[in-house]
């Protein structure tokens, strides 16, 4: 019985490949190293969407269309916004996205790309008693997300956030992408499919890990002894957030891509001392895990340096999973369209191991 479906192939895809032994991520024929820090998010959206929408425009036009979609989403969710801050920031974003039309066209897809950025910034501002900032349709997506959050966006921070969105845009058949494909296979529409992905991403074993990474770093800083703190966690059966992966037996290549972005930011703001501390914690965690779990190679995953990067660009830890969703939306939508185009209804079997009914003579 494949508890957790390890090694089960549930889809053929042209979108991305995760090599967990070599530590490589390929996205539509490009290595992560080719894309991260070099391609803009809108270009990667185009790369992933290519072939799945008849009316897909070129890069420049697509960037403009995403800008227009941000404005459209803002107008649609505005009447709801005052009610959403009562929810936590992730649930508020999900609730706002749930009111979007449930079609399968490019306009539907672009609204779903735009919505996490628009809703996260607006809800964070409302939570601080400030008025949401209207999107600027001419700005680039990452820069506008930061501007909607803080009123301004430095080019360095916008580039860092853009690199993050690119780095997490797609990653094989992870739990949230599988959930998205299951719903897409029923022909339910893109919004329904992406809501399924959002539900799966939220959990701490998947996209909910980076907020707890910050809590861990703060707790270790307060304790003053990383090895003792981490060993104590393991002794109490806790997992070390930002470490371990179902597929990677080596270091997640996205960890180094994101660390490089944080290092670049460190030269122009206060991030360098945080990075130096995080590197020490990372080494201590790897040492503790090697001793505690010698049977399994547990290495740094994407979430460890995600936490540092998103903290450095100005997001509070409660919103880290929202920003992850903003990047991953591109992959989810492409997978949903691919499933609709090439797949069938996903309907596996379970094996009944419960009690049998009494046999009536
Ligand atoms: N800390 C401590 N122990 C761990 C960790 C960890 N981070 N990761 C795995 N293990 C241990 C488990 O306790 C288990 O030990 P045992 O055999 O002694 O019981 C063993 O490794 C295998 O664990 P599984 O849960 O079967 O391994 P799986 O492949 O499902 O784990 C997962 C992957 C869920 C990501 C896990 O490594 C984990 O919980 N990590 C911490 C949370 C995290 O960082 N999540 C983000 C993942 S990246 C992403 O989704 C974007």
């Amino acid at each position: 019985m494949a508890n957790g479906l390890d090694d089960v192939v549930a889809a053929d895809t042209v979108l991305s490949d995760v090599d967990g032994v070599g530590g490589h991520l390929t996205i539509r024929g490009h290595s992560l190293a080719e894309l991260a820090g070099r391609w803009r998010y809108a270009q990667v959206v185009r790369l992933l969407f290519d072939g799945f929408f008849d009316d897909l425009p070129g890069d420049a036009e697509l960037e403009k269309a995403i800008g227009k979609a941000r404005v459209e989403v803002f107008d649609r969710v505005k009447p709801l916004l005052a009610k959403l801050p009562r929810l936590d920031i992730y649930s508020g974003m999900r609730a706002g996205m749930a009111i979007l039309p449930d079609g399968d066209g490019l306009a539907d897809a672009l609204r779903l790309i735009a919505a996490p950025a628009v809703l996260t910034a607006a809800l964070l501002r409302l939570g601080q008693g400030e008025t949401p900032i209207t999107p600027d349709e001419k700005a680039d997506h990452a820069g506008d997300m930061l501007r909607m959050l803080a009123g301004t966006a430095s080019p360095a921070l916008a580039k860092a956030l853009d690199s993050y969105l690119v780095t997490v845009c797609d990653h094989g058949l992870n739990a949230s992408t599988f959930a998205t494909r299951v719903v897409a296979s029923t022909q339910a529409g893109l919004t329904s499919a992406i809501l399924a992905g959002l539900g799966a991403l939220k959990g701490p074993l998947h996209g909910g890990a980076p907020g707890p990474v910050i809590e861990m770093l703060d707790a270790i800083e307060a304790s003053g002894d990383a090895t003792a703190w981490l060993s104590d966690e393991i002794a109490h059966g806790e997992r070390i957030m930002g470490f371990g992966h179902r597929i990677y037996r080596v270091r997640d290549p996205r960890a180094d891509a994101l660390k490089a972005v944080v290092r670049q930011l460190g030269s122009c703001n206060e991030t360098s001392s945080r990075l130096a501390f995080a590197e020490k914690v990372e080494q201590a965690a790897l040492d503790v895990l090697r001793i505690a779990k010698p049977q399994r190679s547990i290495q740094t995953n994407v979430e460890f340096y995600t936490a540092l990067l998103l903290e450095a660009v100005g997001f509070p830890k409660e919103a880290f999973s929202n920003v992850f969703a903003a990047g991953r939306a591109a992959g989810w939508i492409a997978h949903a369209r691919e499933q609709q185009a090439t797949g069938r209804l996903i309907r596996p079997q379970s094996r009944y191991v419960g009690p049998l009914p009494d046999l009536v003579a």
Side-chain angles (χ1 to χ4, degrees), residues 8 22 40 72 85 110 160 202 207 210 266 278 292 297 306 309 319:
V8 172
R40 291 159 69 96
E72 190 197 331
L110 296 185
K202 184 183 177 202
S297 172
T306 287
L309 193 157

Side-chain angles (χ1 to χ4, degrees), residues 204-207 209 234 238-246 249 252 254 289 293 295-296 298 301-303 324:
L205 299 191
H206 189 13
I234 296 282
E238 301 292 337
R239 289 178 178 222
I240 309 300
M241 292 292 130
F243 295 86
H245 200 274
R246 175 63 63 80
R249 288 292 151 263
D252 183 334
R254 299 169 298 174
L289 286 165
K293 307 280 173 185
Q295 75 286 6
R296 194 173 179 88
I298 301 176
N301 68 43
V302 63
E303 304 290 41
F324 193 166

Side-chain angles (χ1 to χ4, degrees), residues 12 32 150 183 277 280 298:
D12 286 333
L32 175 65
V183 174
F277 175 68
K280 285 192 189 131
I298 301 176

